[in-house]
Amino acid sequence: MKTKDDVGIKGYAGYVPKYRIKPEEIGDCWGEDGKTMGRGLRVESKSVPSPDEDVVTISTQAAKWAMKRAGIKGEDLEAIYVGSESHPYAVKPTATIVAASIAASPHMTAADYEFACKAGTAAFQTCMGLVSSGMIENGMAIGADTSQGAPGDALEYTAAAGGAAYVIGSEDLLAKIKETVSYTTDTPDFWRREGEKYPQHGGRFTGKPAYFKHVTNCTKKLLERTGNEPDEYDYAVFHQPNGKFPVKAAKKLGFSKDQLEPGLLVTHIGNTYSGSVPLGLAATLDQAEPGDKIMVTSYGSGAGSDSFDIEVTENITDVKEKDVPTIEEVTSNEEFVPYSVYAKYRDKIEGGR
Amino acid sequence: MAIARFWREIKQRYKGIGVKCGNCGEIFFPPRDICPECRRESYKKMDEYELNGTGEVITYTRVEDPHPEFEDLCPYVMAIVEMDEGVRLTGHIVDVDYDDIEAGLEVEASMRKLGEDGPEGMIYYGYKFWPIDSRRGE
Ligand SMILES: [Zn+2]
């Protein structure tokens, strides 16, 4: 996809609920060795939303902070897209509630996106297109989820909650998005039928033909298009369904573990689905310096990947001085809960669907 | 809760929008049509005013025998918070240990779910408060 020279990120922020649960707590409940399970998935804990948190509340908090960093008001936003697979309503947009809560309504366009874990980056691309074409000045792209695995399912060890919001525009950019490419196929690796509580997945079918195929092909296309080599990037962010997949994909493509490190949040907060890449990128931007280059590739089951070639500008220094918490600060406020509390919270979330 | 009433109050519930008397400058939340001091002088001068969302705890209490809607949150903390603008609001304090709350604690409003009309009904959102330091790594 062609992008103009002057489109990118003006502000960003992420939010992750405070509660955490460890794999051993989940394993104990099902007579499984949770510790070993967690070690295999490279996940030490995952975030758990409070019963009064959902995709609307997570998105709203991230959006408020992102606007503060961008130095804009709600009325400056002409588009809001929220990507999630756990929108609180089946019919009634999350985006309208978020827009009202940040005073962006009514002179704006809004919609919810769904594409498993890559709905957030799909929102990025839409905002980029609207900004590049001159249709809007500023748009907001959000990726957030409060995802669920069926009780006893392997997904329960990783399915977590969190999200991040980005103000996309063409002026005062803290990072330019210089190129984006996508790789999309019809792949039945993971799905949830309308009205069903929990997703189904294709077991072993989720790895090679799904995550790795899409992530590597999409990233390779981006590298080909930009003429960049993996080692020209300071950082890389890949979708993180667990702690193993992104490391393996990075290695295969020629990226190092050091490049991944700042954005690899899955170990402590789990898989935040649509929030995964947006939060990983936010944590990376928190550490970035002017001139740094960041490679980003998302993945959503069903299936597709979006890759982005990002270059940080000198504005990143000013943005960091605004009174908005970094991802490290947000996630360091944690409280571990036992399975009983987790189950109570989780049931409530199911009720909300 | 009646859907129409909730919808009319969205601005104050989501954004903390009150009114400021154009005559004496006093801020009111929830919004009112007339300033009790200025009365007729304030007629049609009560302009929308957005609270900045921060304030401090005046008093608080732990609720152990909750409204059925809040059972999953039990026990939870309700407090009277004096906002920077001087108005006092009642609201939940979230994401904090009861023992860490005290009068004078600085808090910030954040949007949360307030309740819902069962699994099929509407979901109600609005402000609750959390300690201002809680998301800043302190
Ligand atoms: Zn008055």
Side-chain angles (χ1 to χ4, degrees):
Chain A
M1 282 172 240
K2 284 195 163 50
T3 59
K4 278 191 170 176
D5 191 37
D6 49 357
V7 62
I9 301 162
K10 290 178 77 155
Y12 70 95
Y15 176 81
V16 177
K18 177 186 174 179
Y19 301 98
R20 304 279 183 276
I21 189 164
K22 291 185 186 242
E24 41 268 48
E25 273 289 330
I26 296 170
D28 283 352
C29 185
W30 302 106
E32 286 173 358
D33 182 356
K35 205 159 194 172
T36 304
M37 196 79 175
R39 213 176 292 137
L41 293 163
R42 309 270 195 283
V43 173
E44 289 165 18
S45 58
K46 68 163 193 169
S47 65
V48 178
S50 164
D52 61 356
E53 292 183 293
D54 63 13
V55 167
V56 165
T57 66
I58 290 169
S59 299
T60 298
Q61 189 58 56
K64 275 188 195 167
W65 280 334
M67 280 171 31
K68 198 168 176 186
R69 277 217 176 103
I72 63 162
K73 290 185 166 172
E75 63 202 40
D76 299 324
L77 289 169
E78 292 164 278
I80 295 185
Y81 297 97
V82 184
S84 179
E85 58 137 64
S86 46
H87 291 291
Y89 288 96
V91 177
K92 180 177 181 352
T94 299
T96 56
I97 310 172
V98 175
S101 69
I102 58 172
S105 3
H107 298 290
M108 51 164 299
T109 182
D112 287 359
Y113 275 166
E114 283 189 29
F115 194 147
C117 299
K118 85 161 194 83
T121 56
F124 268 57
Q125 289 179 331
T126 306
C127 286
M128 288 171 64
L130 293 173
V131 168
S132 292
S133 66
M135 281 176 70
I136 64 168
E137 285 280 319
N138 299 301
M140 182 168 274
I142 299 173
D145 259 306
T146 53
S147 295
Q148 298 295 316
D153 189 298
L155 283 175
E156 213 194 341
Y157 289 96
T158 51
Y166 286 77
V167 178
I168 307 290
S170 61
E171 283 171 11
D172 306 321
L173 304 177
L174 62 89
K176 287 183 180 179
I177 305 177
K178 303 178 83 169
E179 181 77 73
T180 178
V181 299
S182 294
Y183 185 91
T184 310
T185 70
D186 179 8
T187 305
D189 58 329
F190 177 94
W191 61 88
R192 180 169 62 79
R193 293 281 300 273
E194 188 68 49
E196 292 294 310
K197 266 181 200 162
Y198 300 114
Q200 300 286 317
H201 47 95
R204 303 181 67 170
F205 197 44
T206 55
K208 217 171 175 189
Y211 180 88
F212 291 103
K213 177 180 156 187
H214 292 78
V215 166
T216 52
N217 281 319
C218 195
T219 307
K220 277 182 188 164
K221 191 81 190 164
L222 183 84
L223 295 172
E224 184 190 310
R225 196 70 79 72
T226 56
N228 291 340
E229 295 292 331
D231 62 8
E232 288 177 59
Y233 287 96
D234 297 278
Y235 302 106
V237 181
F238 293 97
H239 176 53
Q240 305 157 23
N242 52 55
K244 245 173 32 182
F245 280 22
V247 175
K248 203 171 159 189
K251 196 175 168 192
K252 204 173 160 195
L253 284 158
F255 290 90
S256 71
K257 228 187 151 186
D258 286 347
Q259 285 167 298
L260 292 188
E261 202 54 48
L264 204 59
L265 305 174
V266 62
T267 323
H268 295 289
I269 65 168
N271 178 9
T272 51
Y273 286 60
S274 305
S276 174
V277 154
L279 277 166
L281 175 59
T284 305
L285 287 168
D286 282 343
Q287 302 206 359
E289 306 272 348
D292 281 354
K293 292 170 83 143
I294 306 171
M295 201 297 301
V296 176
T297 300
S298 64
Y299 174 72
S301 294
S305 280
D306 302 322
S307 290
F308 300 85
D309 175 39
I310 296 173
E311 193 173 309
V312 178
T313 75
E314 62 277 9
N315 292 332
I316 192 89
T317 327
D318 302 337
V319 165
K320 283 183 182 168
E321 281 166 17
K322 306 241 168 104
D323 182 28
V324 173
T326 62
I327 299 302
E328 200 185 332
E329 286 171 330
V330 170
T331 55
S332 66
N333 178 5
E334 51 184 23
E335 182 179 333
F336 287 85
V337 295
Y339 195 88
S340 56
V341 172
Y342 166 68
K344 189 171 88 167
Y345 283 11
R346 198 201 55 207
D347 286 342
K348 187 63 192 170
I349 297 156
E350 277 169 29
R353 284 211 64 96
Chain B
M1 195 181 304
I3 291 173
R5 191 188 128 205
F6 180 85
W7 180 75
R8 275 196 306 274
E9 293 174 357
I10 271 181
K11 266 189 180 172
Q12 44 177 305
R13 287 173 184 278
Y14 290 6
K15 285 282 298 161
I17 293 191
V19 291
K20 184 175 181 174
C21 170
N23 195 51
C24 71
E26 185 81 18
I27 292 159
F28 299 94
F29 188 97
R32 29 195 322 169
D33 296 331
I34 294 280
C35 173
E37 283 299 314
C38 309
R39 301 194 179 249
R40 267 173 60 191
E41 304 289 314
S42 68
Y43 183 63
K44 287 202 169 165
K45 286 186 192 162
M46 302 295 278
D47 299 322
E48 273 189 5
Y49 186 89
E50 186 184 337
L51 302 177
N52 80 3
T54 54
E56 61 172 63
V57 171
I58 302 295
T59 60
Y60 60 99
T61 180
R62 176 151 54 179
V63 181
E64 312 224 355
D65 184 19
H67 188 274
E69 235 182 349
F70 300 142
E71 236 160 47
D72 288 310
L73 293 167
C74 190
Y76 58 90
V77 179
M78 294 298 288
I80 293 173
V81 174
E82 183 166 297
M83 306 304 287
D84 293 349
E85 293 84 356
V87 297
R88 290 186 174 193
L89 312 185
T90 303
H92 292 248
I93 308 282
V94 296
D95 288 1
V96 65
D97 280 342
Y98 183 72
D99 294 339
D100 293 337
I101 307 178
E102 54 186 11
L105 179 74
E106 287 184 73
V107 294
E108 164 174 53
S110 177
M111 190 150 109
R112 293 291 180 111
K113 265 171 81 169
L114 294 178
E116 60 185 26
D117 287 335
E120 298 92 24
M122 199 176 140
I123 305 168
Y124 301 107
Y125 297 96
Y127 58 80
K128 291 186 182 181
F129 297 96
W130 68 31
I132 207 161
D133 290 341
S134 71
R135 300 291 161 176
R136 286 171 172 73
E138 287 167 43

